Amino acid sequence: GENVEQHPSTLSVQEGDSAVIKCTYSDSASNYFPWYKQELGKGPQLIIDIRSNVGEKKDQRIAVTLNKTAKHFSLHITETQPEDSAVYFCAPNRPGSGNTPLVFGKGTRLSVIA
Amino acid sequence: EAQVTQNPRYLITVTGKKLTVTCSQNMNHEYMSWYRQDPGLGLRQIYYSMNVEVTDKGDVPEGYKVSRKEKRNFPLILESPSPNQTSLYFCASSPGVGRGRAWYNSPLHFGNGTRLTVT
Protein backbone atom coordinates (compact mmCIF):
# COMPACT_ATOMS: atom_id res chain seq x y z
CA GLY A 1 0.00 0.00 0.00
CA GLU A 2 0.83 3.66 -0.13
CA ASN A 3 3.50 4.87 2.29
CA VAL A 4 3.04 8.56 3.14
CA GLU A 5 5.45 10.61 5.21
CA GLN A 6 4.95 14.20 6.27
CA HIS A 7 7.62 16.54 7.65
CA PRO A 8 8.04 18.28 9.95
CA SER A 9 5.62 16.98 12.57
CA THR A 10 5.62 20.35 14.34
CA LEU A 11 6.53 23.78 13.04
CA SER A 12 6.66 27.14 14.82
CA VAL A 13 7.06 30.36 12.87
CA GLN A 14 6.84 34.04 13.64
CA GLU A 15 3.86 35.88 12.25
CA GLY A 16 4.67 37.11 8.77
CA ASP A 17 7.25 34.42 8.05
CA SER A 18 6.75 31.56 5.59
CA ALA A 19 6.02 27.92 6.40
CA VAL A 20 6.72 24.86 4.26
CA ILE A 21 5.41 21.34 4.88
CA LYS A 22 6.55 18.41 2.78
CA CYS A 23 4.74 15.18 1.95
CA THR A 24 6.48 12.21 0.36
CA TYR A 25 4.64 9.20 -1.04
CA SER A 26 5.58 5.84 -2.47
CA ASP A 27 2.94 5.06 -5.11
CA SER A 28 4.06 6.46 -8.45
CA ALA A 29 0.48 6.05 -9.74
CA SER A 30 -0.82 8.77 -7.39
CA ASN A 31 -2.26 11.64 -9.39
CA TYR A 32 -4.20 13.83 -6.97
CA PHE A 33 -2.51 15.68 -4.13
CA PRO A 34 -4.66 17.54 -1.60
CA TRP A 35 -3.79 19.38 1.60
CA TYR A 36 -6.25 19.56 4.48
CA LYS A 37 -6.30 21.97 7.42
CA GLN A 38 -7.75 20.94 10.75
CA GLU A 39 -8.60 23.59 13.28
CA LEU A 40 -9.21 22.79 16.91
CA GLY A 41 -12.51 21.00 17.46
CA LYS A 42 -13.29 20.66 13.77
CA GLY A 43 -12.92 18.18 10.97
CA PRO A 44 -10.22 18.61 8.30
CA GLN A 45 -11.03 20.95 5.42
CA LEU A 46 -9.46 21.05 1.99
CA ILE A 47 -7.34 24.15 1.52
CA ILE A 48 -5.60 23.43 -1.76
CA ASP A 49 -5.05 20.56 -4.16
CA ILE A 50 -3.05 19.79 -7.27
CA ARG A 51 -3.28 17.25 -10.02
CA SER A 52 -0.40 15.44 -11.64
CA ASN A 53 -0.39 17.45 -14.84
CA VAL A 54 0.43 20.66 -12.95
CA GLY A 55 3.66 21.52 -11.12
CA GLU A 56 2.45 24.39 -8.95
CA LYS A 57 -0.80 25.98 -7.87
CA LYS A 58 -1.37 29.15 -5.88
CA ASP A 59 -4.32 30.54 -4.00
CA GLN A 60 -3.47 33.85 -2.37
CA ARG A 61 -1.00 33.08 0.45
CA ILE A 62 -1.13 29.33 -0.06
CA ALA A 63 0.65 27.32 -2.73
CA VAL A 64 1.30 23.67 -3.45
CA THR A 65 4.23 22.38 -5.51
CA LEU A 66 4.56 18.91 -6.93
CA ASN A 67 7.62 16.91 -7.92
CA LYS A 68 6.34 13.65 -9.40
CA THR A 69 9.81 12.37 -10.24
CA ALA A 70 10.90 12.60 -6.62
CA LYS A 71 7.41 11.67 -5.37
CA HIS A 72 6.81 14.56 -3.05
CA PHE A 73 4.61 17.63 -2.84
CA SER A 74 4.79 20.59 -0.52
CA LEU A 75 2.48 23.12 1.07
CA HIS A 76 3.77 26.69 1.17
CA ILE A 77 2.16 29.37 3.33
CA THR A 78 3.51 32.90 3.01
CA GLU A 79 2.96 35.86 5.32
CA THR A 80 1.66 33.57 8.02
CA GLN A 81 -1.05 34.79 10.36
CA PRO A 82 -2.24 33.47 13.75
CA GLU A 83 -5.30 31.94 12.10
CA ASP A 84 -3.00 29.68 10.08
CA SER A 85 -2.24 27.84 13.33
CA ALA A 86 -3.70 24.36 12.84
CA VAL A 87 -2.79 20.80 11.95
CA TYR A 88 -2.19 20.13 8.26
CA PHE A 89 -2.55 16.76 6.52
CA CYS A 90 -1.62 15.47 3.09
CA ALA A 91 -3.42 12.55 1.41
CA PRO A 92 -2.09 11.53 -2.02
CA ASN A 93 -4.71 9.69 -4.09
CA ARG A 94 -4.17 7.09 -6.74
CA PRO A 95 -6.53 6.14 -9.57
CA GLY A 96 -7.57 2.58 -10.13
CA SER A 97 -10.34 0.23 -9.05
CA GLY A 98 -11.22 2.29 -6.01
CA ASN A 99 -10.58 -0.64 -3.71
CA THR A 100 -7.60 0.96 -2.08
CA PRO A 101 -7.66 2.48 1.40
CA LEU A 102 -6.78 6.16 1.53
CA VAL A 103 -3.63 6.94 3.51
CA PHE A 104 -3.02 10.30 5.21
CA GLY A 105 0.23 11.75 6.40
CA LYS A 106 0.52 11.89 10.20
CA GLY A 107 0.01 15.62 10.23
CA THR A 108 2.02 18.79 10.91
CA ARG A 109 1.09 21.06 13.78
CA LEU A 110 1.79 24.63 12.72
CA SER A 111 1.99 27.34 15.36
CA VAL A 112 2.18 30.97 14.25
CA ILE A 113 3.56 33.15 17.01
CA ALA A 114 2.26 36.71 17.07
CA GLU B 1 -26.03 24.04 3.43
CA ALA B 2 -23.85 21.22 2.08
CA GLN B 3 -22.52 19.26 5.01
CA VAL B 4 -21.61 15.99 6.65
CA THR B 5 -23.37 15.52 9.97
CA GLN B 6 -22.12 13.18 12.67
CA ASN B 7 -23.90 12.32 15.89
CA PRO B 8 -23.23 12.34 18.72
CA ARG B 9 -20.33 14.80 19.12
CA TYR B 10 -19.31 13.26 22.44
CA LEU B 11 -19.95 9.77 23.76
CA ILE B 12 -18.81 8.04 26.92
CA THR B 13 -19.61 4.37 27.25
CA VAL B 14 -18.49 1.20 28.97
CA THR B 15 -16.70 -1.82 27.59
CA GLY B 16 -18.97 -4.19 25.70
CA LYS B 17 -21.99 -1.92 25.31
CA LYS B 18 -22.92 -1.74 21.63
CA LEU B 19 -23.04 1.71 20.11
CA THR B 20 -23.67 3.39 16.77
CA VAL B 21 -22.26 6.67 15.50
CA THR B 22 -24.38 8.10 12.72
CA CYS B 23 -23.15 9.94 9.64
CA SER B 24 -25.29 11.66 7.05
CA GLN B 25 -24.42 13.79 4.02
CA ASN B 26 -26.73 15.96 1.92
CA MET B 27 -24.52 16.34 -1.16
CA ASN B 28 -25.55 13.16 -2.99
CA HIS B 29 -21.98 11.87 -2.70
CA GLU B 30 -21.31 8.28 -3.68
CA TYR B 31 -18.17 7.81 -1.60
CA MET B 32 -18.24 7.80 2.21
CA SER B 33 -15.64 6.78 4.75
CA TRP B 34 -14.78 6.62 8.43
CA TYR B 35 -11.48 7.58 10.11
CA ARG B 36 -10.10 7.53 13.59
CA GLN B 37 -7.63 10.13 14.77
CA ASP B 38 -5.14 9.36 17.51
CA PRO B 39 -2.21 11.46 18.77
CA GLY B 40 0.93 10.79 16.77
CA LEU B 41 -0.89 8.50 14.34
CA GLY B 42 -2.85 11.01 12.29
CA LEU B 43 -5.99 9.93 10.44
CA ARG B 44 -6.43 6.24 9.75
CA GLN B 45 -9.19 4.88 7.57
CA ILE B 46 -11.52 2.34 9.16
CA TYR B 47 -14.02 1.55 6.39
CA TYR B 48 -15.12 3.13 3.16
CA SER B 49 -18.00 2.76 0.74
CA MET B 50 -17.97 3.43 -2.98
CA ASN B 51 -21.75 3.25 -3.26
CA VAL B 52 -24.91 1.83 -1.72
CA GLU B 53 -24.44 -1.75 -0.48
CA VAL B 54 -20.69 -1.60 -1.27
CA THR B 55 -18.27 -1.38 1.66
CA ASP B 56 -14.55 -2.14 2.01
CA LYS B 57 -12.08 -2.35 4.84
CA GLY B 58 -9.61 0.43 5.41
CA ASP B 59 -6.38 0.14 7.33
CA VAL B 60 -7.86 -0.40 10.82
CA PRO B 61 -11.25 -2.19 10.49
CA GLU B 62 -10.97 -4.57 13.46
CA GLY B 63 -13.75 -4.10 15.98
CA TYR B 64 -15.93 -1.98 13.69
CA LYS B 65 -18.83 -2.56 11.33
CA VAL B 66 -20.52 -0.29 8.83
CA SER B 67 -23.54 -0.39 6.58
CA ARG B 68 -24.60 1.56 3.51
CA LYS B 69 -28.28 0.93 2.92
CA GLU B 70 -28.93 4.44 1.65
CA LYS B 71 -26.70 6.82 -0.24
CA ARG B 72 -26.81 9.56 2.37
CA ASN B 73 -26.15 7.49 5.53
CA PHE B 74 -23.09 5.56 6.64
CA PRO B 75 -23.29 4.54 10.32
CA LEU B 76 -20.30 3.20 12.24
CA ILE B 77 -21.14 0.34 14.61
CA LEU B 78 -19.07 -0.87 17.53
CA GLU B 79 -20.61 -4.20 18.57
CA SER B 80 -18.46 -4.59 21.68
CA PRO B 81 -16.41 -1.47 22.33
CA SER B 82 -13.09 -1.74 24.11
CA PRO B 83 -10.88 0.95 25.70
CA ASN B 84 -8.47 0.86 22.73
CA GLN B 85 -11.29 2.25 20.62
CA THR B 86 -11.24 5.46 22.61
CA SER B 87 -10.52 7.99 19.89
CA LEU B 88 -11.76 10.89 17.79
CA TYR B 89 -13.79 9.67 14.84
CA PHE B 90 -14.50 11.43 11.56
CA CYS B 91 -16.87 10.65 8.75
CA ALA B 92 -16.19 12.02 5.27
CA SER B 93 -17.78 11.95 1.84
CA SER B 94 -16.73 12.71 -1.72
CA PRO B 95 -18.33 12.81 -5.18
CA GLY B 96 -18.15 9.54 -7.08
CA VAL B 97 -17.55 8.35 -10.58
CA GLY B 98 -21.16 9.03 -11.49
CA ARG B 99 -20.35 12.70 -11.88
CA GLY B 100 -17.47 12.13 -14.24
CA ARG B 101 -14.84 12.64 -11.57
CA ALA B 102 -13.57 9.61 -9.67
CA TRP B 103 -13.77 9.86 -5.90
CA TYR B 104 -10.03 9.46 -5.78
CA ASN B 105 -9.67 12.75 -7.56
CA SER B 106 -12.09 14.74 -5.47
CA PRO B 107 -11.77 16.46 -2.12
CA LEU B 108 -13.16 14.86 0.99
CA HIS B 109 -15.81 16.68 3.02
CA PHE B 110 -15.48 15.89 6.72
CA GLY B 111 -17.93 15.97 9.60
CA ASN B 112 -16.99 17.72 12.84
CA GLY B 113 -16.05 14.54 14.64
CA THR B 114 -17.24 12.28 17.45
CA ARG B 115 -15.11 11.96 20.54
CA LEU B 116 -15.61 8.49 21.97
CA THR B 117 -14.41 7.35 25.37
CA VAL B 118 -14.71 3.69 26.34
CA THR B 119 -14.10 2.92 30.01
Side-chain angles (χ1 to χ4, degrees):
Chain A
E2 176 87 278
N3 183 34
V4 179
E5 293 191 2
Q6 195 175 323
H7 295 282
S9 56
T10 59
L11 179 59
S12 291
V13 299
Q14 293 289 329
E15 183 178 357
D17 287 351
S18 296
V20 182
I21 303 169
K22 184 176 180 179
C23 182
T24 60
Y25 60 94
S26 60
D27 189 343
S28 56
S30 293
N31 68 348
Y32 175 61
F33 306 95
W35 284 98
Y36 294 90
K37 175 184 181 182
Q38 185 180 21
E39 297 176 336
L40 198 62
K42 296 185 178 180
Q45 264 196 309
L46 179 82
I47 54 169
I48 197 166
D49 56 8
I50 194 169
R51 301 179 191 277
S52 61
N53 59 340
V54 179
E56 182 176 359
K57 181 179 177 181
K58 282 185 180 178
D59 182 3
Q60 299 182 1
R61 298 186 296 107
I62 294 171
V64 54
T65 58
L66 171 64
N67 185 328
K68 279 213 80 180
T69 303
K71 289 189 278 189
H72 64 73
F73 61 111
S74 296
L75 175 68
H76 304 255
I77 306 174
T78 58
E79 300 172 28
T80 53
Q81 299 169 5
E83 52 264 38
D84 294 328
S85 295
V87 180
Y88 293 82
F89 294 97
C90 63
N93 284 206
R94 67 182 300 276
S97 64
N99 294 330
T100 306
L102 185 61
V103 178
F104 282 75
K106 287 184 168 50
T108 296
R109 182 174 298 279
L110 172 65
S111 299
V112 179
I113 304 162
Chain B
E1 180 189 354
Q3 60 185 359
V4 177
T5 304
Q6 289 178 235
N7 280 298
R9 287 295 307 273
Y10 300 93
L11 181 57
I12 301 173
T13 190
V14 296
T15 300
K17 186 176 181 182
K18 180 179 179 180
L19 65 91
T20 299
V21 184
T22 64
C23 174
S24 180
Q25 51 92 5
N26 62 1
M27 296 168 280
N28 202 35
H29 286 170
E30 293 185 15
Y31 178 83
M32 297 187 74
S33 56
W34 276 102
Y35 302 86
R36 62 178 289 173
Q37 185 174 25
D38 302 289
L41 297 177
L43 288 156
R44 293 180 294 166
Q45 193 175 49
I46 302 170
Y47 269 95
Y48 60 100
S49 170
M50 294 292 291
N51 213 325
V52 175
E53 301 294 359
V54 178
T55 63
D56 285 288
K57 295 178 180 178
D59 280 335
V60 288
E62 295 78 21
Y64 304 94
K65 285 175 57 178
V66 292
S67 70
R68 189 89 182 273
K69 293 184 170 55
E70 309 164 276
K71 198 171 189 178
R72 64 181 291 127
N73 295 322
F74 191 46
L76 179 69
I77 303 156
L78 284 72
E79 294 270 2
S80 183
S82 62
N84 65 10
Q85 292 178 298
T86 292
S87 187
L88 179 58
Y89 291 86
F90 288 100
C91 179
S93 70
S94 182
V97 295
R99 294 188 178 186
R101 294 174 71 191
W103 68 268
Y104 40 74
N105 277 324
S106 300
L108 289 167
H109 300 253
F110 284 85
N112 278 329
T114 296
R115 185 165 292 282
L116 172 65
T117 302
V118 183
T119 61

